[in-house]
Amino acid sequence: MLSLSIALCTRNRIDDLTRCINSIAIGGAPEGCETELWVIDDGELPKHVLERYERQLGRAGIAYRYHRKEQPGLWLSRVKTVELARGDVILFLDDDVELPSNYLHELMHTYETYPQAAGIGGIAQGMSNSFMGTIRCLLSFQQSLSKGRLSLSGQSGSMYNWHKAKKTFRTEFFHGCNMSFRREAIQGLEPVPWLQSYSVGEDLLLSRIAMKNGPLYINPALTLLHHESPSSRDNMEQVTYMRVMNHIHLLRDERSGPIGYAALYWTTLYQILRERPRKNHAAIQGYRRALKAIFSSQKEPLGGGQLPERNSKKTAG
């Protein structure tokens, strides 16, 4: 049976992390599956809290591991996890999720059912869109007509229709709060200059790397509760600016043609129109800066967008 490494990348959110670990411990390790849990810490978790996690997970048959990073950033936490983890499968969870008791068993069973899979992801409970919301997302190129594909502008809004799925389906992207990969499919990760701090879009890049080594699947049975605690401590203008800038890098990486950039421009313009009634001036300013960047993106190299060539030559286990 495949072995499993669970990775919780966190920063100073003890209550969220404790709730998450409680839910993992309640379910326990899948029968016959060697399981470890890594806390990859960008903050300052107290020693007595870490000791409590170790005892709790040990009783659940899960080996506890801890690493405190010196250089913060979510992408760098992913890189460090792949370097440290020993499981055949690496499960990345946000620290503010709760798992149902059968989640880990269902995950490993899905890998047995789809032995060719490079990665398997799940769904966040409550993530959905109204009919009119779906129409708006389609018209603004935030989602595609296919639930497993990114939009023309590289957006992942199609995941808001995942809750309608009744069976496992192919996808080209995962939601970062609930995604797993065969370790061999994502080996050799390296720092990426444009993925800093909260690293907007890192889940899309990681999915793209893994997909070079095999198909990705979403199993609707892998549904968890995502509390969505504040995800970024950066100022709003910078967050909205990087949301667009990182998608420019993703488009550049896949050598997108003019249609992709035009679609991203329209998506960004829609975001500005949406924020105006809310008078969210910081967000609007960030999007305005990004509009200028889209215009110049095909003329000036952004750098750092290319994936390491060796990743595409590995095969999934």
Side-chain angles (χ1 to χ4, degrees):
M1 188 174 186
L2 297 172
S3 55
L4 172 65
S5 294
I6 305 168
L8 303 178
C9 305
T10 189
R11 180 188 174 195
N12 296 336
R13 299 204 300 203
I14 295 178
D15 291 343
D16 287 325
L17 183 62
T18 299
R19 182 177 55 209
C20 179
I21 288 178
N22 286 345
S23 70
I24 293 171
I26 289 172
E31 185 175 355
C33 175
E34 184 178 347
T35 305
E36 64 178 6
L37 183 146
W38 280 93
V39 172
I40 307 297
D41 187 13
D42 276 350
E44 298 279 353
L45 289 171
K47 184 178 179 181
H48 72 275
V49 171
L50 299 177
E51 291 173 345
R52 184 173 74 242
Y53 293 160
E54 184 172 16
R55 292 193 299 270
Q56 184 179 17
L57 291 167
R59 291 192 294 267
I62 299 173
Y64 170 76
R65 309 279 189 259
Y66 175 79
H67 177 80
R68 184 176 184 275
K69 289 176 35 255
E70 295 182 359
Q71 188 175 356
L74 181 55
W75 178 259
L76 292 179
S77 292
R78 307 297 199 206
V79 172
K80 180 55 67 172
T81 297
V82 176
E83 177 185 322
L84 295 173
R86 294 295 175 260
D88 299 309
V89 172
I90 299 177
L91 169 63
F92 290 106
L93 300 170
D94 278 7
D95 60 5
D96 58 350
V97 304
E98 283 187 84
L99 273 60
S101 59
N102 67 332
Y103 180 99
L104 297 181
H105 171 80
E106 179 67 29
L107 174 68
M108 302 313 291
H109 176 70
T110 308
Y111 273 102
E112 293 176 359
T113 306
Y114 295 89
Q116 77 279 23
I120 293 169
I123 301 172
Q125 180 179 328
M127 180 174 284
S128 62
N129 218 347
S130 66
F131 175 76
M132 288 307 301
T134 297
I135 296 299
R136 287 192 296 269
C137 285
L138 287 170
L139 293 176
S140 58
F141 300 129
Q142 294 181 81
Q143 68 180 63
S144 72
L145 290 171
S146 170
K147 61 180 175 291
R149 294 186 64 85
L150 296 169
S151 71
L152 284 176
S153 62
Q155 310 291 308
S156 58
S158 300
M159 71 173 65
Y160 284 89
N161 288 323
W162 286 357
H163 70 285
K164 300 177 184 178
K166 303 300 182 183
K167 59 183 180 180
T168 300
F169 61 91
R170 286 279 295 270
T171 185
E172 62 182 17
F173 68 96
F174 288 149
H175 186 356
C177 78
N178 185 5
M179 61 182 183
S180 72
F181 304 94
R182 292 186 189 270
R183 179 162 53 88
E184 290 187 4
I186 56 173
Q187 278 184 338
L189 291 186
E190 297 177 352
V192 175
W194 51 272
L195 283 175
Q196 303 295 325
S197 185
Y198 178 49
S199 304
V200 180
E202 54 80 29
D203 47 357
L204 304 184
L205 180 58
L206 194 53
S207 299
R208 184 178 297 172
I209 292 171
M211 198 164 56
K212 291 177 180 290
N213 299 288
L216 307 181
Y217 296 90
I218 296 292
N219 181 355
L222 296 171
T223 297
L224 48 70
L225 180 59
H226 188 201
H227 291 279
E228 297 192 73
S229 295
S231 55
S232 177
R233 296 169 176 83
D234 296 335
N235 67 76
M236 179 57 69
E237 178 180 340
Q238 185 64 16
V239 169
T240 55
Y241 176 68
M242 292 309 300
R243 281 176 184 166
V244 181
M245 285 301 301
N246 286 6
H247 276 90
I248 293 175
H249 283 287
L250 289 166
L251 290 173
R252 174 68 58 81
D253 174 69
E254 65 177 4
R255 296 177 174 83
S256 175
I259 292 178
Y261 293 98
L264 182 59
Y265 189 91
W266 171 241
T267 299
T268 306
L269 184 60
Y270 169 82
Q271 297 290 354
I272 293 174
L273 296 174
R274 191 185 67 170
E275 294 293 348
R276 277 182 174 171
R278 307 174 187 177
K279 297 182 179 180
N280 194 339
H281 301 298
I284 292 172
Q285 184 60 28
Y287 286 129
R288 282 177 174 169
R289 288 172 54 203
L291 286 178
K292 298 178 182 179
I294 296 173
F295 264 129
S296 62
S297 62
Q298 297 186 71
K299 299 177 182 179
E300 299 178 8
L302 295 174
Q306 296 296 319
L307 302 183
E309 184 67 24
R310 64 175 177 274
N311 283 324
S312 63
K313 297 180 180 178
K314 292 184 180 296
T315 56

